[in-house]
């Protein structure tokens, strides 16, 4: 009896010592780490502990980790940052993207594609932001941020988004300053008219709060000139979304001349000035006739984003990985695609604590495989590109916790 007790005690001591020796909660082994901030594109191990990146090294002993993720043959990247989504979902009819039925709950559409941070692009204005914060931001596992609409009511559609009297830069800036942890800038969207007031009021709010502005340029007949928007109204760091769109009816000017297939000279000057060109794919805001010649000319998007909502995700957009795969198929190399989906958007929204895999950084990590096969990537016009490779999310880690594991590549698997 005495010897049996000693044996049990000895085994417990060994187990306790092994547990004590585990210096990582998660160890990702053997994957190709692509981290644009740190110029990494090589096979490395990544150790995570207490929600942070603890170590990046060539070979970390797996016995030191509670869980080991076999990422051999896969890509390990920072968690993706989608800076143009619509997640102010609700149950109010006729509220469009502001507490309405067209926006989507973030957690259902983020982790499964490697997104750990999504920015709602203008769903809430200064009048409705508290509802968005209480209902969505506080109740999402995904990190949800906001571009505050310059319209107080937000994106309720119709006449609400045309009401210039509800575009108060002082009230918008005050709400943004009070909620700096959640609001990263301001949004102009869907205004139809020959008037610069929405843009100028948003820029004024951005100046007051020291935040960027995202512009969905709406439309007018004839179109307001993009050169004036870029060179006379916007500042360095402001964002032009839906960069590769061609709308019917000649209501918005394009960045590529459709006749010559050349990027317009003033667009190149705007990039030099510091205007940020964002994809903002959406349901009707991406055309290959704009994107292919732009990419061939080296005019890549600084930020890749979805404009996620029920219409776009069930159309040609699908999700972040579909868009990233399209730009990869068009000729962007994979590190450039990852940079436009991680580190650059983090800088654009002034959240440099995100978007990279550095020691002591927040452990937001995505693990992707590159599927081989025959894939069709089409746009809203039905134009289709063929591709042989497509990104697929194998795992998403948010704040040091596995929140999505497609094929059970973590060992052991813990369901809680």
């Amino acid at each position: 009896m005495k010897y049996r007790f000693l044996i049990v005690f000895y085994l417990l001591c060994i187990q306790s010592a092994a547990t004590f020796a585990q210096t990582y909660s998660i160890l990702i082994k053997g994957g190709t780490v692509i981290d644009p901030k740190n110029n990494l594109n090589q096979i490395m191990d990544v150790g995570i502990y207490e929600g942070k990146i603890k170590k990046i090294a060539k070979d970390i002993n797996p016995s030191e980790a509670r869980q080991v993720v076999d990422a051999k043959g896969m890509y390990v990247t920072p968690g993706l940052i989608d800076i143009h989504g619509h997640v102010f979902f609700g149950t109010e009819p006729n509220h469009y993207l502001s507490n309405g039925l067209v926006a989507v709950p973030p957690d259902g559409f983020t982790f499964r594609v490697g997104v750990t941070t999504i920015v709602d692009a203008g769903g809430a204005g200064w009048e409705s932001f508290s509802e968005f914060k209480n209902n969505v931001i506080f109740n999402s596992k995904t990190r949800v941020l906001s571009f505050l609409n310059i319209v107080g009511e937000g994106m309720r559609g119709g006449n609400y988004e045309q009401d210039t009297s509800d575009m108060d830069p002082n009230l918008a800036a005050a709400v943004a300053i009070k909620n700096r942890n959640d609001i990263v800038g301001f949004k102009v969207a869907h205004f139809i008219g020959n008037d610069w007031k929405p843009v100028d009021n948003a820029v004024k709010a951005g100046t007051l709060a020291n935040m960027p502005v995202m512009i969905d340029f709406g439309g007018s007949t004839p179109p307001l000139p993009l050169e004036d928007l870029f060179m006379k109204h916007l500042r360095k760091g402001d964002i032009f979304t839906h960069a590769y769109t061609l709308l019917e009816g000649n209501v918005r000017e394009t960045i590529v001349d459709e006749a010559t297939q050349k990027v317009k000279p003033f667009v190149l000057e705007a990039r030099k000035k510091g205007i940020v060109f964002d994809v903002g794919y959406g349901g009707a805001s991406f055309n290959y006739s704009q994107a292919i010649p732009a990419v061939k000319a080296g005019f890549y998007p600084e930020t890749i984003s979805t404009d996620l909502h029920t219409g776009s995700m069930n159309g040609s957009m699908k999700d972040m990985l579909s868009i990233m795969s399209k730009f990869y198929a068009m000729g962007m190399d994979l590190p450039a695609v990852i940079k436009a989906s991680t580190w650059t958007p983090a800088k654009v929204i002034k959240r440099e604590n995100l978007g990279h895999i550095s020691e002591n950084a927040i452990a937001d990590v995505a693990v992707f495989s590159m599927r081989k096969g025959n894939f069709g990537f089409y746009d809203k016009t039905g134009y289709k590109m063929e591709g042989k490779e497509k990104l697929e999310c194998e795992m998403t880690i948010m704040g040091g916790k596995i929140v999505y594991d497609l094929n059970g590549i973590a060992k052991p698997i813990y369901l809680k």
Side-chain angles (χ1 to χ4, degrees):
M1 188 71 179
K2 178 181 178 182
Y3 292 112
R4 185 179 297 174
F5 172 79
L6 289 172
I7 290 169
V8 171
F9 179 74
Y10 176 71
L11 291 173
L12 287 172
C13 286
I14 291 174
Q15 184 180 8
S16 183
T19 301
F20 181 76
Q22 289 178 344
T23 54
Y24 307 102
S25 52
I26 301 170
L27 174 61
I28 306 170
K29 276 202 70 71
T32 299
V33 176
I34 300 180
D35 178 15
K37 180 190 176 184
N38 295 302
N39 296 312
L40 281 177
N41 184 10
Q42 57 184 297
I43 295 175
M44 303 282 280
D45 292 349
V46 178
I48 295 169
Y49 183 67
E50 293 187 343
K52 299 290 184 68
I53 305 294
K54 186 170 183 179
K55 190 176 183 180
I56 307 108
K58 284 285 187 181
D59 188 21
I60 299 174
N61 190 338
S63 68
E64 298 180 34
R66 181 172 180 261
Q67 277 181 295
V68 178
V69 176
D70 181 6
K72 186 177 180 181
M74 301 177 190
Y75 297 99
V76 180
T77 79
L80 304 185
I81 301 172
D82 182 357
I83 68 164
H84 187 157
H86 292 288
V87 293
F88 188 6
F89 73 102
T91 58
E92 295 291 336
N94 302 315
H95 270 237
Y96 190 36
L97 296 168
S98 181
N99 200 31
L101 301 167
V102 180
V104 299
D107 293 347
F109 304 94
T110 49
F111 295 151
R112 63 191 300 109
V113 291
V115 172
T116 52
T117 301
I118 189 165
V119 187
D120 183 83
W126 64 267
E127 294 177 67
S128 54
F129 179 75
S130 61
E131 189 170 28
F132 174 55
K133 184 172 182 176
N134 290 330
N135 290 359
V136 180
I137 293 176
F138 282 167
N139 289 289
S140 299
K141 292 181 179 179
T142 311
R143 182 181 297 102
V144 177
L145 303 170
S146 173
F147 279 110
L148 193 71
N149 204 308
I150 193 59
V151 178
E153 287 274 358
M155 295 179 80
R156 286 191 59 180
N159 292 332
Y160 289 101
E161 295 183 73
Q162 311 307 314
D163 185 1
T164 57
S165 69
D166 195 26
M167 301 178 184
D168 191 314
N170 296 303
L171 289 171
V175 170
I177 291 168
K178 184 179 178 181
N179 294 276
R180 281 193 179 277
N181 288 338
D182 307 302
I183 295 174
V184 297
F186 301 90
K187 175 79 181 292
V188 174
H190 303 166
F191 183 76
I192 300 171
N194 212 323
D195 191 342
W196 291 104
K197 186 174 181 179
V199 171
D200 291 341
N201 280 359
V203 170
K204 182 178 178 181
T207 301
L208 289 170
N210 189 28
M211 295 178 181
V213 169
M214 176 181 277
I215 303 295
D216 169 353
F217 205 32
S220 63
T221 306
L224 289 170
L226 273 185
E227 185 171 8
D228 285 358
L229 174 69
F230 297 151
M231 310 311 289
K232 296 180 181 179
H233 294 271
L234 298 186
R235 309 157 297 165
K236 177 181 179 180
D238 286 338
I239 306 151
F240 179 65
T241 193
H242 307 319
Y244 301 98
T245 189
L246 170 64
L247 295 181
E248 294 181 4
N250 189 35
V251 295
R252 183 192 297 169
E253 189 179 358
T254 59
I255 65 167
V256 171
D257 187 313
E258 289 276 313
T260 66
Q261 292 288 282
K262 301 290 186 183
V263 178
K264 296 175 181 177
F266 71 81
V267 174
L268 302 176
E269 288 302 311
R271 171 157 283 179
K272 290 179 183 177
K273 175 182 174 178
I275 302 301
V276 176
F277 289 84
D278 172 57
V279 174
Y281 193 111
S285 298
F286 177 88
N287 293 70
Y288 273 125
S289 65
Q290 288 285 302
I292 290 173
V295 170
K296 282 184 177 178
F299 194 86
Y300 298 163
E302 271 115 333
T303 54
I304 292 174
S305 67
T306 60
D307 187 10
L308 176 70
H309 52 75
T310 58
S312 64
M313 72 184 196
N314 292 319
S316 69
M317 188 279 287
K318 305 295 187 294
D319 53 42
M320 273 289 283
L321 293 186
S322 177
I323 303 168
M324 293 164 68
S325 297
K326 285 179 179 180
F327 276 92
Y328 182 62
M330 279 187 279
M332 279 182 77
D333 62 62
L334 189 58
V337 169
I338 298 300
K339 184 178 182 180
S341 309
T342 58
W343 178 231
T344 299
K347 291 190 292 182
V348 167
I349 62 173
K350 300 183 180 181
R351 292 294 191 274
E352 288 89 348
N353 60 326
L354 305 175
H356 54 95
I357 300 175
S358 309
E359 290 187 6
N360 296 315
I362 297 169
D364 288 358
V365 181
V367 180
F368 301 117
S369 59
M370 186 68 82
R371 289 183 61 189
K372 309 293 184 180
N374 296 311
F375 305 107
F377 302 115
Y378 60 94
D379 70 4
K380 69 181 183 185
T381 71
Y383 182 93
K384 187 171 83 169
M385 290 187 70
E386 303 287 344
K388 297 294 185 182
E389 295 179 301
K390 183 179 182 181
L391 287 164
E392 182 171 78
C393 182
E394 294 285 348
M395 175 174 285
T396 305
I397 297 170
M398 171 89 185
K401 295 182 179 180
I402 296 172
V403 292
Y404 180 78
D405 185 352
L406 179 63
N407 289 302
I409 59 174
K411 185 178 180 180
I413 296 172
Y414 296 110
L415 298 181
K416 291 185 179 180

